[in-house]
Amino acid sequence: MHPQHQSILTQIHSQQNNLTEKLQSWSNINSYSFHLPGLNKMAEALSQELKDFGPVEHIDLPPARTINALGQVESHPLGQALRVTHNPAAPLRILLNIHYDTVYPPDSPFQSATFTDASTLRGPGVLDAKGGILVLLTAARAIIQSPFANQISLEIILTPDEEIGSPGSAMLLVQAAKRNHLALLFEPSLPDGSLVGSRKGSGNFTFIIRGKAAHAGRDFHAGRSAILAAAHLIRRFSEPFDNLPDITVNCGKIEGGNALNVVPDLAIARFNARVNTPAEQSAVEQHAQDLVTEISAMDGISITQQGGFHAPPKLLDPRSTTLLSTAITCAQQLGFPLSIKPSGGASDGNRIAANNTPVIDSLGPVGAHLHTDQEHVHLPSLIQRAKLTTLLILTLAQRTPLFSPGHEI
């Protein structure tokens, strides 16, 4: 390891207590994806941190659109994305990204962080992804304070809507990826500390099915049941993929009907689909279209589809593979093993990789049980992952010749 690199990493080691206190404080701020007061409070706290890197932009995002239980489109305002760019003219340009929203609404009983032991903090967002924000900021500060700062540009974007599929910030991230050489994202590592390599693509499909209401006793045969049509759809959507374990189609929610003595004229079926490859994505999309045609042919039934794949499959091209291999080498220099494993979960890394930008998207801390009331983080991993990220960036900056967007690393 370069002697100057070792000196930079040593300065990170002393920050454990400060990071722990800040993480506990941030976890106590409810920043649920649709809770604007909490998102605004979290954004203000983050803005104070980002000022170290330059003028902070507060970017308004378009609203998220959802289908309600009546089959109507609703708009939901989102929080602001935060962006700052340090040294934009440097020869190596890196996008650093993670989200600050969480999955826990204000009425959830899980609202604050507590220590379960001296090295473990349990709380909303401590792992996904407020701990990742601290890893990002710690590494970024180490870089801009280092003798190598003039070689590196850091564009930092923190988003408020990743947990709901990044409906407002997806295009912002894609545009940023195109003007940077590579992207580093700070989603949690896998529970054993592994980095995520490939990721499944994810799509959310909503089908709105309408029939004809009628009295269930006096005039039953004049009605056309939207719920029966929905049941047919639910059975048929997953049917072609039942023997293909890499493709999953899950009906996660159904709505419809009202009084038990009325033939239901409305049903809504909501699905999530996961795939490994673009070909599998196309197969699911085509099957959904075929089902719309099939159900529409039923007597007295109409159907419309909303949504689709919001995160394409994340495949490992040679550049991302090289980037991951460099991270493994850096971990070895720091004295710990690091492996690469696939994940069924999607992230903003899926969207960035689909736009031909090499990416590592799981440089956040180690922990477990994200999206549950047992979410916790292993506190020493905040320092470990900050050192790993810092050494990775310094290593890439010393490579010659430097690369440009779309070129080999």
Side-chain angles (χ1 to χ4, degrees):
M1 185 186 302
H2 193 291
Q4 285 182 298
H5 293 179
Q6 184 62 63
S7 175
I8 295 165
L9 297 175
T10 299
Q11 295 174 18
I12 293 175
H13 194 74
S14 64
Q15 300 181 42
Q16 182 70 68
N17 290 340
N18 179 52
L19 296 182
T20 299
E21 290 174 6
K22 198 162 290 182
L23 182 56
Q24 186 175 22
S25 172
W26 289 357
S27 178
N28 292 339
I29 300 173
N30 184 290
S31 54
Y32 175 60
S33 305
F34 292 122
H35 182 48
L36 290 183
L39 288 168
N40 292 339
K41 184 176 181 180
M42 189 68 207
E44 181 56 35
L46 293 172
S47 295
Q48 298 305 313
E49 301 285 333
L50 292 174
K51 287 179 180 178
D52 292 348
F53 304 95
V56 181
E57 298 177 71
H58 292 248
I59 303 171
D60 292 328
L61 301 178
R65 289 182 167 81
T66 60
I67 305 297
N68 66 20
L70 298 177
Q72 302 165 333
V73 177
E74 290 186 344
S75 291
H76 304 273
L78 297 172
Q80 293 181 318
L82 306 176
R83 177 171 62 195
V84 61
T85 304
H86 181 81
N87 198 18
L92 174 62
R93 300 191 299 279
I94 302 175
L95 170 64
L96 304 179
N97 164 248
I98 192 55
H99 60 94
Y100 65 90
D101 61 323
T102 69
V103 299
Y104 308 100
D107 59 357
S108 164
F110 190 45
Q111 292 293 333
S112 60
T114 56
F115 291 91
T116 59
D117 59 50
S119 62
T120 306
L121 184 66
R122 171 181 165 266
V126 292
L127 183 65
D128 186 21
K130 294 176 181 180
I133 298 174
L134 284 170
V135 173
L136 183 162
L137 293 172
T138 303
R141 283 197 181 94
I143 293 298
I144 68 170
Q145 294 169 4
S146 77
F148 308 98
N150 63 342
Q151 302 175 33
I152 304 162
S153 168
L154 301 178
E155 180 175 356
I156 301 172
I157 298 180
L158 305 180
T159 59
D161 61 340
E162 192 274 344
E163 294 292 10
I164 55 172
S166 301
S169 63
M171 187 53 62
L172 178 71
L173 292 174
V174 168
Q175 292 168 348
K178 290 178 179 179
R179 61 178 170 261
N180 285 280
H181 299 102
L182 62 105
L184 303 179
L185 276 63
F186 294 82
E187 291 290 344
S189 73
L190 295 176
D192 65 355
S194 298
L195 293 176
V196 173
S198 60
R199 288 185 183 271
K200 283 192 172 186
S202 179
N204 293 329
F205 296 76
T206 297
F207 296 90
I208 305 161
I209 304 159
R210 300 187 185 276
K212 181 182 178 182
H215 191 286
R218 178 178 294 186
D219 213 15
F220 176 78
H221 294 290
R224 297 294 182 267
S225 173
I227 287 180
L228 282 179
H232 179 79
L233 169 71
I234 292 166
R235 179 180 60 82
R236 289 278 291 119
F237 199 175
S238 63
E239 198 173 55
F241 314 117
D242 285 346
N243 295 319
L244 300 173
D246 287 340
I247 302 177
T248 58
V249 177
N250 177 60
C251 183
K253 188 173 185 179
I254 55 174
E255 299 153 289
N258 196 340
L260 299 185
N261 61 350
V262 177
V263 176
D265 63 351
L266 173 66
I268 300 172
R270 305 176 194 264
F271 296 81
N272 176 258
R274 304 273 170 153
V275 297
N276 271 339
T277 67
E280 292 173 354
Q281 176 178 328
S282 296
V284 171
E285 291 170 333
Q286 184 60 55
H287 184 52
Q289 293 177 21
D290 292 344
L291 282 177
V292 168
T293 301
E294 180 180 320
I295 304 264
S296 295
M298 293 180 174
D299 181 31
I301 298 294
S302 65
I303 180 173
T304 57
Q305 175 196 323
Q306 299 286 337
F309 278 89
H310 57 273
K314 179 194 165 197
L315 307 178
L316 291 183
D317 67 9
R319 293 174 303 134
S320 287
T321 300
T322 299
L323 196 55
L324 288 163
S325 297
T326 305
I328 290 174
T329 300
C330 291
Q332 291 170 344
Q333 293 176 7
L334 292 170
F336 66 93
L338 188 64
S339 61
I340 312 299
K341 295 181 180 179
S343 173
S347 81
D348 283 325
N350 292 59
R351 302 171 188 88
I352 289 171
N355 283 273
N356 199 35
T357 301
V359 58
I360 299 178
D361 61 11
S362 51
L363 284 164
V366 181
H369 303 305
L370 63 164
H371 294 196
T372 78
D373 63 3
Q374 297 302 310
E375 178 177 346
H376 64 268
V377 64
H378 182 56
L379 291 168
S381 70
L382 295 170
I383 295 296
Q384 183 194 69
R385 306 303 270 208
K387 287 182 175 180
L388 174 63
T389 302
T390 303
L391 184 57
L392 173 63
I393 293 172
L394 293 173
T395 301
L396 293 172
Q398 289 195 295
R399 289 192 171 178
T400 52
L402 290 174
F403 48 92
S404 59
H407 292 184
E408 291 293 332
I409 295 177

